Each structure stands twice: as structure tokens, then as C-alpha cells.
Amino acid sequence: MVDIVDFTRKQQFKVGEKKVYDHQCAHSELTIDEKRRLIVCDKCDQHFDAFDYVMKIAEKEIRLRSNLRYLRGQSKQLSEEIEVKKRELRNIKAQVNRANKRSTQTDK
């Protein structure tokens, strides 16, 4: 009799077992295992659930967008502060020039 569906049990990964690596793998080379519905890193041979991996990427993107929004706000605030400081500097220079002119006029 021919097996239409492969019922042989294949070990995906052991529960609670975690490989310890000397370095952090960036998981830049991935392969999709369609039969087991897993994503496998070709470099470190780590297995990921596809949904969990997509969620991880989505959460990272949300975090990046939030950081970008914060940094843009900071940039705008710092630019406004720079403009205020430039205006204060121009005012102080003008005050110094007026004071110098007054002192030269009174010396005559």
C-alpha cells in the first residue's frame, strides 16, 4: 500500500532546547520549509515558526517607525532651538555694536 500522506514523524526541534552560539546570527540567509511550515536559517540552522517570524519583523518595524517619529520630533525641536540661539546671538552682537558706538560718541 502506498502512503499518500507522509505519516513519518520528523523531529522539528525539542521543546525547551536552545542552541547556544558564540555569536549573534543576523539570520540573513533564510529558507522556507513549506512542508513543516517553518523558516530555517541557513547559517545557524535555527528554526522559526513562520507566523512568529513575521510578527517579530512587524514589531521591529513598528519600533523603528516609533523611533523615527521621535527622532524627527527631536530634530525639529533642536532646529528651533538653534534658530532661537542664532537670533539671540545677533541681538547680543547688535547690542555690543550699539554700546561701542555710544562709547566712541561720548569719548569725542
Side-chain angles (χ1 to χ4, degrees):
M1 187 163 147
V2 177
D3 288 335
I4 296 174
V5 178
D6 186 15
F7 286 108
T8 57
R9 186 163 214 157
K10 297 177 184 172
Q11 183 179 7
Q12 293 180 1
F13 44 88
K14 293 180 182 175
V15 178
E17 182 177 303
K18 198 173 196 181
K19 289 186 179 179
V20 178
Y21 299 102
D22 294 337
H23 65 285
Q24 289 286 337
C25 182
H27 308 303
S28 57
E29 297 178 18
L30 301 172
T31 303
I32 298 174
D33 186 348
E34 294 176 7
K35 289 183 179 180
R36 296 189 296 169
R37 294 185 172 260
L38 292 174
I39 296 175
V40 181
C41 178
D42 295 334
K43 288 186 176 181
C44 67
D45 199 39
Q46 189 172 359
H47 296 77
F48 305 98
D49 178 61
F51 182 78
D52 290 341
Y53 189 76
V54 170
M55 281 299 295
K56 183 175 134 185
I57 291 173
E59 289 169 353
K60 184 176 180 181
E61 178 151 345
I62 289 169
R63 210 171 34 252
L64 288 173
R65 286 180 187 226
S66 175
N67 289 345
L68 183 62
R69 191 172 25 253
Y70 171 76
L71 290 173
R72 282 184 177 155
Q74 287 291 101
S75 175
K76 184 178 179 183
Q77 180 183 356
L78 291 173
S79 295
E80 291 170 357
E81 289 178 16
I82 288 172
E83 290 302 318
V84 168
K85 296 299 179 188
K86 284 181 180 179
R87 188 170 44 253
E88 289 175 0
L89 181 62
R90 282 194 307 267
N91 290 342
I92 291 172
K93 284 182 179 179
Q95 289 175 359
V96 168
N97 286 337
R98 282 193 302 269
N100 285 340
K101 286 181 184 178
R102 284 186 199 142
S103 67
T104 56
Q105 288 176 356
T106 56
D107 291 341
K108 290 182 183 180

